[in-house]
Amino acid sequence: MTTKVEDKHAGNGNLVGKGQPYLGEKYQANGKPVANGRGEISVKQEANGTCGVPRKSLNMYSWQEIQKHNQKADQWLVINRKVYDVTGWANKHPGGSRVLNHYAGEDATDVFRAMHLDLDIVKLYLKPLLIGELAPEEPSQERNKSSQLVEDFRELRRTLEAMNMFKANPMFFFLHFVQVLILETLAWLIVWHFGSGWPVTIFISCLLTISQCQSSYLQHDLGHLSIFTKSKWNHLMQKLMMSHCKGLSTSWWNHRHFQHHVKTNIHPKDPDIDMGALFLLGELQPVKFGKMKIKYIDYEKQHLYFYMVGLPLLMPVYFNLESMKVMCLQRYWEDIAWVSSFYIRHFITFGPFYGIFGTILLIYLVKFLESPWVTYVTQMSHIPMRMSKEENRDWLSAQVLTTCNVEQSIFNDWFTGHLNFQIEHHLFPTMPRHNYHKVAPLVRSLCAKHGLQYVNKPMLEAFGDIVRALKKSAALWMDAYYET
């Protein structure tokens, strides 16, 4: 069915994957956008949903038709009632092709708004992808979603934008960068002055471990475009912090991490809950393995070998091997150059004291020490929470059900890089982390209004919940495996 509709091309560039606000349109009772009689619009006007434009004929679609286009070779999605065919664009998407496929056939309005930043850029990419809009009688989101909850969440975001909660404090991030610089410099000065004996080596390894963890948090901020107003500066500084300071591929990390954000704890879309055959997570995977009589290792004891394998080897083995594999296979030449500079810098600064082999050992000793810190911080908010197959929930429910917070304190904020506010971070990925504590009461209030449990716990309890969740999953596997 076709009709004359006003073709509003707005946008922000990368669809889903880098970090930019969405275009909140207003609609009349008949479902069509409110027109203001003007033939031209600005990006800001579109973002406010106050204007219409001259038009071409666009097709009208029902949700039933849109939901059929959810395959890799046929991907449609909806943003602000507009229907976009992103099939041909997916492989060019800066945030990776998979994040688009994860939302194929669905309403992507809120995730689009959450993950993107620059409307002027996204506008250029959305325009040629527009193929139609929802029919006037169709709701703005799928019928299984609460329209009141969706609207309340969007109103909360508008409130936070009016409060300047998405504006970064440059001094906050500058001081965190200086912290990393001081730690790196101090480690070298100590070796230069006192030599490379074992006591000195252990001490500087601790300093470098702190530097590595804090670099992780800074690159994470930069990857979500939450520091600079210009995306290019975020991207450049992320390469500095991630690839030069940590020796890991930025592209590998972003493509992986964005999938985790858009489909948190969803099998098989979230790569962070795919531990292969090493750990069985949640309820579905253990039962599946158990019924299929799969026992690659003794899953009954997975909560125990988490301490021996998961904690110490995530960074030095898994992350490093995955990063190198993806860089080489995908030919990320720029990342390869940046990562090479990480090793070159270490050979220049520490090579004269430890030699090449000794310097490599120092690098991986630091990664070994860093690994438990990063593992606890990144896993405590998700492994104990709900894991499921695709349920196509609204953005607020999807994030709150799969994420939990850890209590605030000065130490907790520093130790976790403010990822103790994981709920707020997942709802608003482009928000600077120093504002999470200001936003948390409003998010908690909205959750209470709609009957969503807002989980906030002490840090040590959160650490323990990882192991308790692994033990629970192991019990499910045992029940299914030994079932006659």
Side-chain angles (χ1 to χ4, degrees):
M1 177 174 64
T2 61
T3 187
K4 288 283 184 180
V5 295
E6 294 186 16
D7 181 11
K8 290 198 287 188
H9 301 309
N12 151 328
N14 317 354
L15 280 178
V16 178
K18 285 213 170 182
Q20 285 123 302
Y22 90 136
L23 321 165
E25 298 175 343
K26 303 282 187 180
Y27 294 90
Q28 299 173 0
N30 63 6
K32 294 184 178 180
V34 177
N36 64 1
R38 296 176 60 181
E40 297 179 353
I41 61 172
S42 68
V43 175
K44 179 179 283 190
Q45 286 174 315
E46 280 196 84
N48 293 331
T50 58
C51 27
V53 271
R55 301 271 182 134
K56 65 182 180 183
S57 295
L58 290 177
N59 290 331
M60 293 284 198
Y61 296 103
S62 67
W63 277 112
Q64 184 178 11
E65 171 64 23
I66 292 166
Q67 289 166 348
K68 296 176 182 177
H69 300 270
N70 63 350
Q71 305 300 315
K72 184 176 181 180
D74 183 18
Q75 304 179 47
W76 292 9
L77 50 80
V78 176
I79 301 173
N80 297 313
R81 297 189 64 87
K82 295 293 187 288
V83 182
Y84 297 91
D85 183 349
V86 299
T87 309
W89 161 246
N91 287 332
K92 305 173 187 176
H93 181 225
S97 61
R98 292 183 180 179
V99 289
L100 296 185
N101 182 241
H102 293 343
Y103 265 87
E106 301 179 18
D107 176 49
T109 301
D110 290 315
V111 66
F112 175 82
R113 183 179 189 179
M115 299 297 292
H116 291 79
L117 183 65
D118 193 339
L119 294 176
D120 292 321
I121 295 177
V122 100
K123 173 184 177 181
L124 304 175
Y125 294 92
L126 278 179
K127 184 173 182 178
L129 306 178
L130 181 66
I131 60 170
E133 70 177 9
L134 288 171
E137 65 274 11
E138 291 289 330
S140 295
Q141 57 275 323
E142 299 92 326
R143 289 179 172 82
N144 65 299
K145 298 176 181 177
S146 166
S147 59
Q148 185 60 56
L149 186 154
V150 170
E151 179 52 38
D152 285 350
F153 174 73
R154 293 176 183 175
E155 180 59 32
L156 171 62
R157 183 178 180 99
R158 288 189 288 268
T159 299
L160 299 179
E161 289 170 349
M163 294 168 61
N164 288 323
M165 290 294 101
F166 292 86
K167 185 176 181 180
N169 180 345
M171 183 57 65
F172 174 89
F173 290 107
F174 174 74
L175 291 176
H176 277 75
F177 177 76
V178 169
Q179 173 191 210
V180 171
L181 186 62
I182 290 174
L183 289 168
E184 294 280 338
T185 304
L186 185 60
W188 180 82
L189 288 174
I190 289 174
V191 175
W192 175 75
H193 189 270
F194 294 103
S196 56
W198 275 109
V200 171
T201 301
I202 293 172
F203 182 68
I204 68 163
S205 295
C206 293
L207 294 180
L208 293 173
T209 296
I210 298 172
S211 171
Q212 286 290 290
C213 287
Q214 295 301 319
S215 294
S216 294
Y217 301 144
L218 275 176
Q219 77 81 23
H220 179 253
D221 297 322
L222 292 158
H224 283 296
L225 312 182
S226 63
I227 298 182
F228 297 100
T229 56
K230 294 293 184 181
S231 296
K232 65 179 182 180
W233 288 110
N234 286 294
H235 299 325
L236 177 61
M237 289 300 294
Q238 187 189 19
K239 289 185 182 298
L240 177 67
M241 301 309 301
M242 183 61 156
S243 299
H244 178 71
C245 290
K246 295 189 61 61
L248 296 172
S249 167
T250 303
S251 298
W252 158 77
W253 169 260
N254 286 343
H255 291 177
R256 175 192 177 93
H257 191 59
F258 295 151
Q259 291 182 72
H260 162 69
H261 264 272
V262 302
K263 289 294 181 181
T264 308
N265 281 14
I266 298 296
H267 289 289
K269 297 180 178 181
D270 182 356
D272 282 9
I273 61 173
D274 180 10
M275 301 291 182
L278 187 58
F279 293 101
L280 303 182
L281 304 179
E283 299 179 355
L284 299 178
Q285 188 186 22
V287 173
K288 177 183 177 181
F289 272 48
K291 289 182 176 180
M292 295 175 66
K293 307 303 179 186
I294 296 175
K295 187 178 181 180
Y296 294 121
I297 50 181
D298 190 356
Y299 295 118
E300 299 175 43
K301 296 180 174 62
Q302 69 170 6
H303 60 290
L304 298 177
Y305 63 74
F306 168 75
Y307 293 107
M308 298 178 288
V309 177
L311 284 179
L313 300 184
L314 177 70
M315 291 300 295
V317 177
Y318 179 66
F319 271 16
N320 273 273
L321 290 178
E322 278 289 302
S323 172
M324 291 178 183
K325 181 184 76 172
V326 171
M327 274 195 304
C328 294
L329 292 179
Q330 299 297 326
R331 298 179 181 179
Y332 293 144
W333 302 116
E334 187 176 358
D335 280 9
I336 290 173
W338 276 99
V339 170
S340 298
S341 73
F342 165 81
Y343 289 96
I344 292 171
R345 174 172 61 88
H346 277 79
F347 291 143
I348 291 174
T349 53
F350 293 105
F353 308 104
Y354 293 100
I356 293 178
F357 182 70
T359 301
I360 293 175
L361 289 180
L362 175 65
I363 290 171
Y364 281 88
L365 171 61
V366 171
K367 290 182 179 294
F368 178 82
L369 295 174
E370 172 197 12
S371 190
W373 187 342
V374 172
T375 303
Y376 270 129
V377 169
T378 57
Q379 302 307 309
M380 66 183 181
S381 297
H382 296 301
I383 285 184
M385 303 302 289
R386 179 185 179 89
M387 295 182 187
S388 66
K389 292 183 178 179
E390 181 59 74
E391 296 177 325
N392 191 14
R393 293 180 177 271
D394 63 88
W395 183 246
L396 175 65
S397 300
Q399 301 305 325
V400 172
L401 290 173
T402 58
T403 308
C404 68
N405 281 5
V406 165
E407 292 176 351
Q408 183 191 19
S409 70
I410 294 175
F411 175 78
N412 286 0
D413 291 352
W414 174 83
F415 185 82
T416 67
H418 291 82
L419 292 179
N420 50 330
F421 290 97
Q422 194 73 249
I423 293 175
E424 287 69 32
H425 170 60
H426 268 253
L427 290 173
F428 311 107
T430 61
M431 179 179 291
R433 55 174 152 132
H434 52 72
N435 286 332
Y436 292 160
H437 73 281
K438 302 175 185 176
V439 171
L442 298 177
V443 174
R444 186 193 291 267
S445 176
L446 181 60
C447 290
K449 176 181 178 180
H450 291 280
L452 295 171
Q453 186 178 11
Y454 182 100
V455 180
N456 188 35
K457 61 183 75 170
M459 183 180 289
L460 293 180
E461 179 183 334
F463 290 170
D465 281 348
I466 298 175
V467 176
R468 284 185 281 271
L470 290 172
K471 190 173 183 179
K472 180 180 177 181
S473 296
L476 292 172
W477 172 82
M478 289 172 58
D479 291 342
Y481 186 83
Y482 294 109
E483 188 178 63
T484 56

